[in-house]
């Protein structure tokens, strides 16, 4: 069977499991012919799947639920990432040491569906995001760490497995940085999950294919976690950049995945949905936005 | 004589200006890289001498502003030391972009000329269509490029064509605007002459309007080719940065590899200048064929 | 016989940024087939405008006109005439030979025939050897001759000529005058001819229309049938000089000041 | 002279209507009666419009038939998302063909006499636009295109009405700050460099190739760099606009400066006029049509440039920011609201330039016909 | 007295796409201050080219030339002359009055003085009432007159005129001829004048240079001092006719064919 997977981002170790599964023939063993489409900052996987360009996508829960409300019947069928990798980092010699110092400062945030955890957090802290002395000024951050190096922002968003290491490469030592990790603060929203269309899932044949797909993918993840260097090499072969960086990323990603069983933890889902509701990113409690049917059959 | 003129008219001025630019560039590189270097040194607890410091600002791995020699080195490495068709070669990426640019440019020019011809001849088009063409151009292409690519790939069109279409979209407009003016630029007397022959519209177009619009045509094409290049690069972004100058830019910016960005930019501009020069040469050739007075 | 050109009470007013210009007023004129009519009159009196109305390049604001029994527009579409403009109006991107071939191309005449006609007419106006030059490489008079050759190459039944020989020296002019006369006698063309030269008008025409300005109108129409065969030295005969004198008087009367 | 004056639009409309009759009813909620009424109206309009009637009567018939049918077709979509059948689209095409005929009749055949009426000059493009919207609405809703791919214009209109303050703030940030500044500076710079390059051959030979190169730089590449250099606020966007508008102006001004006639230049030489006098009194005048070309092209380029530049680092206001983030949130109606704003601003800008051009280059042959 | 214009063995060859054109050959000519020299010759013989060489609009390929004792370039920069082109060369974006004011603006003449001069010269060529028209709204002859007014408004010591009266009718031409003669007598200008009209040349000139073509060279130079005061009817006197005959003979000899 043919399956098209749309990634959320460019080819990098963040998606190593899928590349490994393909490269190592796990998909083929399961009788699947999988095409992996890399993403990028201008690609909304939700749009791709709505337009019929993909069968299954890697997406964050925030984006998926927002799209669901707009009529794209996305359903979470598996959640390989147990923890969120996003954090906010500030230079230790800067003005911000704790949450209490945010007032009146500029914070770099990613948008394009990645801004929800930040706004949920600020909401919790009771800080306005409209700037001014009592709030924070939000800078729409490009997908790199320049705003911090250029001192355009006092803190910026990074992923543990990616931009954080760019800062380290740029000469910051871990002790030079103050880190606010969304998972540790309990503010995390579910990241890279696998989503498919509701109406297609009603077709048992498709559901069956998805079971095979998720199973083979998790086998890929398992292999990648066990052989990080080889996995990084496979990513490089598929268009990744900077091999050392990919190796490090593989290591960090392994921490977020933990046990590769792909099962969604309902509490994490509830927390995500509530945060989105609180910020009015979605207006009503989502129904049927996830299913354990696929993972149960594995 | 020929060589001497070439040196005097081309090499010398270009060389001088390049030299000035390179010097300014070094100064800028120093100025922009210095603050970060100071921070790094402070964190590392070292106090370099000023000459050491200068060298450091010129050799950061991810500088704010890469120094010219870093870019040249990168260019060298990525063009001459790898096989031109390997994925690491800028030549390969430049070729990908160039092919999309050229096909987009060809389609855009053809479309622009057709639209201009329509507007000049059909009053209904002039009145109803032109305002909407203008409006269409104000739609930020980057916003809808992903949608276009998604839609096209949904109906099975992938590869060169979607990129070329975005190029077309950006490049037809300068041509259309310029050609509307150009096709309307013939002398009133010459139009009268064609009237006395009761020449039909096609003949007037072919024998009078098009030759008279030649200066506008080539000028518009130069602008259009630059626009096509932008279109091709924009079109490369939503395809997941697989190949092309656009993908190199994108990949470079994910990892703050400023040197890569600059190298890709320079590769892009070399492609651009090549294309603009080609159009310019074609313009000169046609002009000479049309008996223009030699300066 | 029906007149080839028949104008009744023609009126033409240009609207310009600072008020209307009354260029033609109450022009009534019939021209028969085979006639050679010269228009003569002070600068700015409307000769060109009248010619342009006949050629359907300008719309009259009053009165009516027919050409070959049709409207000027139909006549133009039927390619009833050849027009020589006051300016040469050559296309700068075409060589002289190509410029002369232009109307033939438009009319779809075969290449071989085109080449013959171009050659013949270039010879007629003495431009051999300049086939491959571009217009700006020619002197003013040569450009004018090229434009004459272009109009003649069409071989129309009717010729509208606006000061075709203005920029030519006496010798060439005499030569072309007699060539034109020969052509006219041979082919029975109708010619409407604008000139400033009284001798030229008298020498060539069957009738001379003297116009006067502001607004442009017909001052008088002078018959001048000097017979079909006119050697150049007819210009010294008393009849000739008498007609010339008559034209000069008419011209002078129409003028606002005395020379 | 027969009483019927056929034209292809009406004939095609008739054919389409006949086809539509084979597929009644058109949508899930559109009863056969209403569907039949649409077809009848279209057929009547097509036939009546071909009678040799006076122009006002013909336009009235066409307007009633095409817009009446369109209104009924739109009404037939309520609660019928994605259920329209081939008959529906055939009648839609028929209505549109009659609308096209209307535009053709209104704009006349270009002959003398029917120029001028400013009402027609506005009505014709407006009609065209209205039809674009009607087709868009009917196709999107009738065929059930997912909202996240393309929202219908009605939703976009609602969103515009509901988001005026946001749109105003974005307009201020993007247009009034980045675009205006960048447009003026970029065009001016291109113009001045062209003037200098024209004066000093050395500069022309040296600077032009490099100028070409810099200006043909893909803006995607320069936008992040500009953010690094000029900060994330509007200044970096203006810088992108400067770079983008520079080249068209440079190229066009240079071409324009070469456009004056040899004779006119010789004339100025006989006056012993200096370079600058020839420039001001002759060559710049002759260059004006080219310069206006550049200004027109730049007016749209500047807008695109500023918006795209905001896809990179920016404060959280601005049209480009809104577009990129709302795409991420699947609020496609907001995206299109911003696009509509950009289109309106760009068209007004362009229209103003066209008027100015007519005033400045009134002498150009293109305006004398 | 030093000659104002002094040409020695001038040679000029144009290189064109299909071979060189020998436009001037071995031209030696001295013109003194206050002379009125006419150039006459067949179409295409190099009259315009010679005038352009004097005006530094064309570079000779051989020989030497001085104007006012300087090179032509220096003379041009010193604004030594006014030039009337064969074509009117009016700027389409300027009204007629502004076109006439153009050289005055270039020379930095004050607005009030400019206005007077424009008015006077427009009156001289009988264009009053057309101040605010644009060139394309004028007839061919009116455009030519505007270009004459433009050159005269400069009040140069030397006038180079290339067929200035070619498109004018006899009456206006006579009028302008006598005006030009008056101006010349009053201000002692040096005039180099190209014409195709033998009577005009004889009437106006102190010397007539007859040129012959291919390559353009001087056939003969004919003195014609008819005295300072020349009423128009001097043109019927025998001396006048004798000179005219001499010129005509020279012209005919230079011609390649007989009229
Ligand atoms: N397009 C125009 N717009 C306004 N006025 C015009 C236009 N064309 C001609 N005129 C005016 O009409 C009048 C007659 O012009 P026309 O060209 O017919 O004169 P003409 O008799 O041919 O003169 P000439 O012998 O100088 O060529 C003039 O006063 C001129 O100013
Ligand atoms: N720019 C040029 N390039 C090539 N040949 C030229 C150029 N200008 C003039 N000629 C040639 O030089 C010769 C003389 O031209 P010129 O214009 O001086 O003639 P003229 O005596 O003024 O004729 P006319 O009385 O017709 O105006 C002609 O044969 C012409 O073809
Ligand atoms: Mg005239
Ligand atoms: Mg000449």
């Amino acid at each position: 069977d043919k399956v098209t997977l749309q990634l959320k981002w460019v080819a990098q170790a963040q998606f190593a499991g899928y590349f490994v599964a393909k490269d190592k023939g796990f998909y083929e063993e399961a009788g699947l012919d999988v095409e992996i489409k890399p993403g990028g900052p201008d690609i909304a996987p939700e749009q791709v799947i709505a337009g019929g360009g993909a069968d299954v996508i890697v997406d964050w829960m925030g984006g998926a639920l927002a799209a669901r409300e707009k009529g794209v019947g996305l359903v979470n069928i598996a959640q390989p990432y147990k923890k969120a990798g996003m954090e906010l980092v500030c230079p230790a010699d800067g003005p911000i040491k704790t949450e209490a110092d945010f007032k009146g400062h500029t914070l770099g945030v990613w948008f394009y569906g990645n801004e929800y955890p930040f706004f949920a957090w600020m909401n919790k802290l009771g800080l306005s995001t409209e700037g001014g002395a009592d709030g924070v000024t939000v800078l729409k951050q490009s997908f790199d760490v320049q705003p911090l190096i250029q001192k355009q922002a006092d803190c910026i968003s990074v992923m543990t497995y990616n931009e954080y290491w760019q800062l380290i490469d740029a000469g910051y030592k871990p002790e030079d940085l103050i880190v606010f990790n969304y998972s540790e603060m309990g503010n995390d929203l579910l990241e890279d999950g696998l989503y498919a269309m509701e109406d297609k899932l009603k077709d048992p044949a498709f559901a069956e294919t998805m079971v095979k797909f998720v199973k083979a993918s998790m086998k890929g993840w398992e292999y990648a976690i066990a052989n990080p260097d080889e996995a990084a090499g496979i990513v490089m072969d598929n268009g990744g950049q900077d091999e050392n960086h990919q190796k490090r990323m593989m290591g960090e990603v392994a921490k977020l995945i933990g046990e590769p069983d792909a099962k969604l933890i309902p509490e994490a889902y509830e927390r995500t949905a509530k945060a989105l509701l609180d910020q009015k990113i979605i207006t009503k409690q989502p129904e049927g936005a996830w299913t354990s049917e696929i993972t149960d059959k594995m | 004589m020929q060589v001497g003129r070439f040196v005097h008219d081309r090499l010398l001025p270009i060389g001088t200006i390049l030299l000035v630019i390179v010097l300014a560039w070094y100064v800028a590189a120093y100025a922009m890289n210095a603050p970060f270097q100071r921070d790094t040194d402070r964190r590392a607890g070292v106090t370099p001498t000023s000459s050491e410091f200068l060298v450091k600002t010129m050799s950061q791995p991810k500088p704010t502003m890469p120094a010219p020699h870093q870019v040249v080195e990168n260019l060298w490495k990525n063009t001459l030391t790898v096989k031109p068709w390997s994925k690491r070669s800028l030549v390969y990426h430049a070729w990908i972009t160039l092919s999309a640019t050229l096909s987009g440019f060809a389609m855009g020019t053809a479309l622009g000329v057709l639209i201009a011809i329509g507007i000049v001849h059909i009053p209904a088009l002039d009145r109803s269509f032109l305002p909407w063409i203008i409006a269409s151009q104000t739609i930020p292409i980057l916003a809808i490029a992903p949608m276009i690519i998604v839609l096209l790939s949904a109906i099975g069109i992938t590869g060169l064509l979607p990129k070329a279409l975005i190029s077309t979209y950006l490049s037809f407009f300068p041509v259309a605007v310029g050609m509307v003016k150009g096709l309307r630029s013939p002398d009133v007397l010459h139009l009268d002459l064609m009237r006395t022959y009761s020449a039909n519209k096609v003949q007037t177009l072919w024998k009078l309007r098009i030759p008279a619009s030649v200066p506008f045509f080539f000028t518009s094409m130069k602008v259009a080719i630059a626009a096509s290049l932008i279109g091709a690069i924009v079109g490369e972004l939503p395809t997941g940065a697989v190949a092309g100058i656009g993908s190199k830019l994108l990949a470079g910016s994910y990892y703050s590899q400023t040197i890569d960005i600059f190298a890709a930019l320079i590769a892009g501009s070399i492609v651009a200048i090549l294309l603009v020069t080609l159009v310019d040469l074609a313009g000169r050739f046609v002009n000479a064929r049309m008996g223009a007075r030699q300066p | 016989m029906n007149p080839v050109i028949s104008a009744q009470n023609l009126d033409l007013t240009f609207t310009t940024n600072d008020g209307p210009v009354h260029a033609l007023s109450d022009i009534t004129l019939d021209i028969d087939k085979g006639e050679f009519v010269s228009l003569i009159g002070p600068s700015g009196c409307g000769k060109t405008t009248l010619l342009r109305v006949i050629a359907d390049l300008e719309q009259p604001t009053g009165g009516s006109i027919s050409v070959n029994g049709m409207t000027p527009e139909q006549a133009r579409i039927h390619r009833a005439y050849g027009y020589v403009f006051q300016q040469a109006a050559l296309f700068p991107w075409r060589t002289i030979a190509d410029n002369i071939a232009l109307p033939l191309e438009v009319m779809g005449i075969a290449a071989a025939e085109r080449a013959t006609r171009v050659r013949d007419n270039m010879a007629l106006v003495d431009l051999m050897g300049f086939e491959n030059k571009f217009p700006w490489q020619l002197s003013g008079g040569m450009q004018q001759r090229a434009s004459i050759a272009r109009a003649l190459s069409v071989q129309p039944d009717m010729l509208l000529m606006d000061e075709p020989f203005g920029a030519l020296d006496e010798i060439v002019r005499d030569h072309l005058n007699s060539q034109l006369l020969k052509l006219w006698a041979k082919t029975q063309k109708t010619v409407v001819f604008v000139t400033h030269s009284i001798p030229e008008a008298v020498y060539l025409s069957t009738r001379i229309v003297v116009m006067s300005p502001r607004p442009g109108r017909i001052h008088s129409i002078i018959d001048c049938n000097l017979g079909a065969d006119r050697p150049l030295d007819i210009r010294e005969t008393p009849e000739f000089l008498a007609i010339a004198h008559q034209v000069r008087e008419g011209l002078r009367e129409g003028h606002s000041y005395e020379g | 002279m027969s009483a019927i004056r056929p034209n292809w639009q009406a004939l095609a409309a008739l054919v389409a209507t006949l086809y539509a009759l084979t597929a009644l009813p058109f949508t899930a909620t559109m009863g056969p009666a209403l569907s039949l009424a649409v077809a009848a109206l279209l057929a009547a309009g097509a036939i009546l419009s071909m009678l040799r009637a006076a122009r006002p009567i013909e336009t009235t018939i066409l307007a009633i038939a095409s817009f009446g049918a369109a209104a009924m077709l739109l009404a037939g979509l309520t609660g019928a998302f994605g259920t329209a059948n081939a008959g529906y689209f055939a009648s839609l095409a028929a209505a549109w063909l009659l609308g096209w005929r209307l535009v053709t009749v209104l704009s006349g055949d270009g002959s003398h006499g029917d120029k001028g009426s400013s009402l027609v000059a506005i009505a014709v493009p407006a009609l065209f636009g209205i039809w674009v919207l009607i087709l868009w609405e009917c196709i999107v809703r009738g065929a059930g295109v997912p909202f996240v791919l393309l929202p219908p214009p009605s939703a976009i209109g609602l969103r515009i009405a509901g988001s005026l303050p946001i749109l105003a703030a974005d307009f201020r940030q993007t247009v009034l700050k980045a675009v205006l500044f960048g447009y003026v500076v970029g065009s001016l710079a291109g113009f001045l460099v062209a003037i200098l390059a024209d004066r000093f051959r050395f500069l022309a030979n040296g600077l032009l190739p490099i100028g070409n190169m810099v200006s043909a730089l893909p803006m995607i590449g320069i936008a992040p760099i500009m953010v690094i250099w000029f900060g994330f606020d509007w200044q970096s966007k203006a810088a992108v606009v400067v770079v983008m508008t520079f080249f068209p102006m440079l190229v066009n001004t240079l071409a324009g400066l070469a456009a004056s006639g040899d004779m006119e230049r010789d004339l100025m030489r006989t006056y012993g006029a200096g370079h600058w006098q020839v420039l001001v009194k002759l060559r710049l005048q002759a260059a004006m049509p080219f310069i206006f070309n550049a200004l027109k092209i730049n007016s749209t380029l500047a807008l695109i440039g500023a918006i795209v530049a905001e896809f990179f680092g920016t404060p959280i206001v601005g049209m480009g920011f809104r577009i990129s983030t709302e795409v991420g949130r699947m609020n496609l109606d907001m995206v299109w609201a911003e696009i509509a704003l950009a289109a309106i601003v760009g068209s007004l800008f362009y229209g103003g330039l066209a008027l100015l051009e007519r005033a400045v280059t009134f002498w150009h042959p293109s305006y004398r016909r």
Side-chain angles (χ1 to χ4, degrees), chain A residues 190 263-273 290 292:
Chain A
L190 286 170
K263 286 203 192 308
L264 181 133
I265 302 163
E267 297 79 61
Y269 166 77
E270 297 299 339
R271 186 175 61 229
T272 303
W290 70 284
S292 59

Side-chain angles (χ1 to χ4, degrees), chain D residues 285-301:
Chain D
Q285 286 285 354
M288 276 305 161
F290 285 84
I291 292 175
F292 270 98
N293 265 359
L295 286 176
K296 284 172 167 176
I297 293 168
N298 278 350
S299 70
T300 62
L301 271 188

Side-chain angles (χ1 to χ4, degrees), chain D residues 58-59 61-62 82 95 104 110 153 172 182 195 222 229 282 309 345:
Chain D
E58 191 180 353
T59 44
I61 292 172
L62 285 168
T104 314
R172 208 174 310 124
I195 299 284
I222 49 179
W229 289 358
L282 170 61
V345 170

Side-chain angles (χ1 to χ4, degrees), chain C residues 8-9 18 34 36 39 64 73 82 92 95 119 124 130 159 236:
Chain C
Q8 305 295 330
N9 309 101
D18 64 337
F36 196 123
L39 304 179
S64 68
E73 183 176 8
T95 60
R119 203 170 338 101
L124 184 75
F130 290 87
L159 267 173
E236 263 104 71

Side-chain angles (χ1 to χ4, degrees), chain B residues 186 190-191 194 203-212, chain C residues 91 93:
Chain B
H190 287 159
L191 281 167
M194 294 307 274
Q203 288 171 323
T204 308
L205 176 73
W206 195 243
K207 297 191 190 296
L208 175 57
R209 289 187 190 273
I210 286 188
Chain C
F91 287 4
W93 52 84

Side-chain angles (χ1 to χ4, degrees), chain D residues 88 98 116 129 131 138 143 167 169 190 220 238 247 250 266 272 293 348 356 360:
Chain D
Y88 183 88
L98 293 184
W131 271 105
C138 290
L167 289 171
I220 313 307
F247 182 66
L250 176 73
D266 280 347
N293 265 359
L348 289 180
L356 191 64
V360 173

Side-chain angles (χ1 to χ4, degrees), chain A residues 179-199:
Chain A
V179 174
F180 299 93
N181 184 294
Y182 287 92
S183 282
E184 282 165 18
M185 296 185 297
N187 289 333
D188 59 325
L189 306 185
L190 286 170
E191 294 177 1
D192 300 22
L194 291 172
Y195 295 80
M197 294 293 282
E198 196 163 24
D199 47 354

